[in-house]
Amino acid sequence: MSESLINAVVLVVDDTPDTLALLHDALVESGYTVLVADNGLSALKISLEASPDIVLLDALMPGMDGFEVCRILKQDLNTRHIPVIFMTGLTESEHVVAGFSAGGIDYVTKPLSPVEVIARINTHLKNSRLINQTQGALDAFGQAAIAVLPKTGKIVWQTPLARQLIEKYMSHEDDLLIQDTPDALQEWVMQLHQGGERRLRPYIVHKPTGRLIFNAADLQSEEQWLILLREESETAQIEALRAIFNLTNRESEVLHWVILGKTDKSIGEILGTSPRTVNKHMEHVFTKLGVETRTAAASLAVNKLRSISGSNSFGVNE
């Protein structure tokens, strides 16, 4: 086992003592730290308190079964990132589908082969570590991004900015904080997964104040897909102009209204300043953009914005 996986914490959940003993010994011998639970409630408590790196979960248990345990784990922001592998003696398609629908990433069948179980755990832990590293980098740069399960469309992690944008554009008056994946977004991801060429256009949520665009960034993994979010609104465009051309806030506001065809007088009224001051700001904009006319400035700005935002899109109104 690679050094990065040594001491990884595995939670084994099964109501059969013999299965717990078999997996505990095999996993400890392979270098893992092992936690055990013999029922669903204990599994949830341990997952929340210890945050294991992966959960090996019996599908059928008395009381709360594994499917319900997995659903609860995936609904909690503190545990939804934990990969879940189901253990079951049932291989009928409906049980396999139930496992994936609940948020599981894989399943192994009983009677268990410890060698196979460990191989599956190794693979999923490596993928999970890579995904966590990616998430850390996205968090550090303030990127709006989510990771979703391709088969179900459910969000398994999201950066803080992504969470803010989803709540802003996809929450409802009676549910201001979204705890689960919005249905429309989930449907788009599942369509993306079912599409042969995986080339659906971006998913767009329209609001009167702007729109939120979801673009598939990485569809290579069969476990989790990376989706990038981008907000297009008056505020977002002004901020983008400021960043692209190194403008001041007021210069970017003036350029934004120039793009929309406003005159100096109209811009002055909008911003609460004089046309002369607006003209002065435009002179600075010309210098920074390397152009000489309003038309050239607007054209350059629009082309630059288009080049960083992409083109193909389709919209779904919320």
Side-chain angles (χ1 to χ4, degrees), residues 12 93 130 132 134 145 151 197 200 223 234 251 257 281:
V12 182
S93 59
L130 289 174
N132 288 338
T134 301
K151 294 183 178 67
E197 297 183 0
L200 279 181
E223 295 185 12
E234 179 179 307
E251 289 166 357
W257 291 112
H281 286 307

Side-chain angles (χ1 to χ4, degrees), residues 153 155 166 170-171 178 180-187 203 318:
I155 297 174
I166 290 174
M170 306 185 77
S171 62
I178 291 182
D180 204 355
T181 308
D183 292 340
L185 175 59
Q186 191 172 342
E187 181 180 350
Y203 169 61
E318 283 293 302

Side-chain angles (χ1 to χ4, degrees), residues 201-204 211 213 215 230 232 305-315:
R201 291 168 291 174
Y203 169 61
I204 302 177
R211 61 182 189 168
I213 303 173
N215 277 292
R230 184 180 77 256
E232 288 188 354
L305 289 171
R306 284 177 178 168
S307 70
I308 65 172
S309 66
S311 54
N312 291 335
S313 61
F314 77 94

Side-chain angles (χ1 to χ4, degrees), residues 230-243:
R230 184 180 77 256
E231 180 183 23
E232 288 188 354
S233 65
E234 179 179 307
T235 301
Q237 179 169 300
I238 291 172
E239 177 59 26
L241 291 170
R242 186 193 66 76

Side-chain angles (χ1 to χ4, degrees), residues 146-155 181-195 198 200-201 203 214-216 219 223-227 314:
I146 61 176
V148 297
L149 299 176
K151 294 183 178 67
T152 64
K154 291 185 177 181
I155 297 174
T181 308
D183 292 340
L185 175 59
Q186 191 172 342
E187 181 180 350
W188 173 71
V189 174
M190 293 175 69
Q191 290 175 355
L192 202 62
H193 181 259
Q194 295 166 4
R198 293 179 175 173
L200 279 181
R201 291 168 291 174
Y203 169 61
F214 295 80
N215 277 292
L219 306 182
E223 295 185 12
Q224 294 184 20
W225 284 352
L226 181 66
I227 308 294
F314 77 94

Side-chain angles (χ1 to χ4, degrees), residues 278-293:
V278 171
N279 184 263
K280 202 70 177 175
H281 286 307
M282 277 308 300
E283 290 178 0
H284 296 157
V285 170
F286 290 162
T287 300
K288 292 181 179 180
L289 270 62
V291 298
E292 297 181 355
T293 67

